[in-house]
């Protein structure tokens, strides 16, 4: 049981770090526009200061407690840790990752970032320790409506993108790409990540029995 919890927490934090790297890469390639949520956070940063990661934490806090109010449940510890650490990781990786030195590299950073952040979401959601604030809203809508993850996520991304655009966040063809295609990537990454987690858990149980 202890081994399973450790493995799940490892998946959770690795997923958050992978997600943050993806977000930071898309911000580095912002000439393409950035993801809808990050357009929103960037727009808030432009209008009111602070950092992109700090706004991620603040908006995450609002979403977590909105979801808790709607479901009449207390937020899971994983959701709270997601809210805090994702913002910190985004600021950290945005600081340490190199800046692209050409248009080609900006486009490369952006495309790579989208793929990475999609799989980061898959990894931490698969851990089942509490989805992050943005994904909690997504999963709640999916549960209540029976709609697919793809279309729910896409609808949320488009709505947030519009708010971010009004705030002056960097919008481009990449923003549209994320709004309409990130849901598809997540629809693949979550099942794959769950299969990988179950495989690792099974291997760990076999090893524990042999020992």
């Amino acid at each position: 049981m202890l081994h399973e919890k450790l493995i799940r927490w490892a998946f959770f934090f690795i997923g958050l770090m992978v997600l943050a790297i993806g977000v930071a890469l898309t911000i580095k390639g912002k000439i393409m526009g950035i993801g809808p949520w990050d357009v929103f956070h960037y727009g808030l940063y432009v209008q009111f200061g602070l950092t992109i990661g700090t706004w991620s934490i603040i908006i995450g806090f609002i979403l977590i407690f909105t979801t808790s109010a709607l479901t009449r449940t207390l937020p899971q510890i994983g959701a709270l840790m997601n809210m805090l650490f994702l913002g910190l990781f985004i600021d950290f990786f945005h600081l340490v990752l190199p800046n692209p030195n050409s248009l080609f590299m900006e486009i490369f950073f952006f495309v790579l970032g989208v793929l990475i952040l999609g799989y980061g979401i898959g990894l931490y959601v698969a851990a089942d320790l509490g989805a992050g604030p943005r994904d909690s809203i997504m999963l709640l809508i999916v549960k209540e409506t029976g709609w697919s993850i793809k279309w729910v996520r896409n609808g949320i991304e488009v709505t947030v993108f519009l708010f971010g655009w009004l705030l002056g966040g960097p919008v481009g063809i990449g923003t549209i790409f994320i709004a309409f295609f990130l849901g598809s990537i997540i629809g693949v990454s979550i099942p794959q990540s769950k299969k990988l987690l179950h495989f690792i858990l099974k291997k760990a149980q076999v090893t524990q029995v042999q020992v």
Side-chain angles (χ1 to χ4, degrees), residues 106-159:
E106 285 203 46
I107 295 172
F108 175 74
F109 273 30
F110 177 83
V111 174
L112 180 63
V114 173
L115 292 172
I116 288 175
L117 73 88
Y119 273 87
I121 292 171
L123 286 169
Y124 92 76
V125 169
D128 197 26
L129 293 171
R134 297 150 193 82
D135 299 307
S136 293
I137 289 288
M138 174 187 73
L139 294 173
L140 174 63
I141 295 172
V142 168
K143 179 182 177 182
E144 294 297 321
T145 63
W147 298 340
S148 71
I149 288 177
K150 171 184 174 180
W151 291 110
V152 171
R153 182 71 185 213
N154 288 347
I156 292 172
E157 298 286 314
V158 170
T159 301

Side-chain angles (χ1 to χ4, degrees), residues 54-73:
T54 299
W55 281 112
S56 175
I57 293 170
I58 293 170
I59 298 302
F61 179 88
I62 294 170
L63 291 176
I64 280 178
F65 286 96
T66 299
T67 303
S68 294
L70 291 173
T71 58
R72 298 181 182 179
T73 59

Side-chain angles (χ1 to χ4, degrees), residues 43-60:
L44 290 167
Y45 153 72
V46 169
Q47 296 295 329
F48 305 107
L50 302 179
T51 67
I52 298 169
T54 299
W55 281 112
S56 175
I57 293 170
I58 293 170
I59 298 302

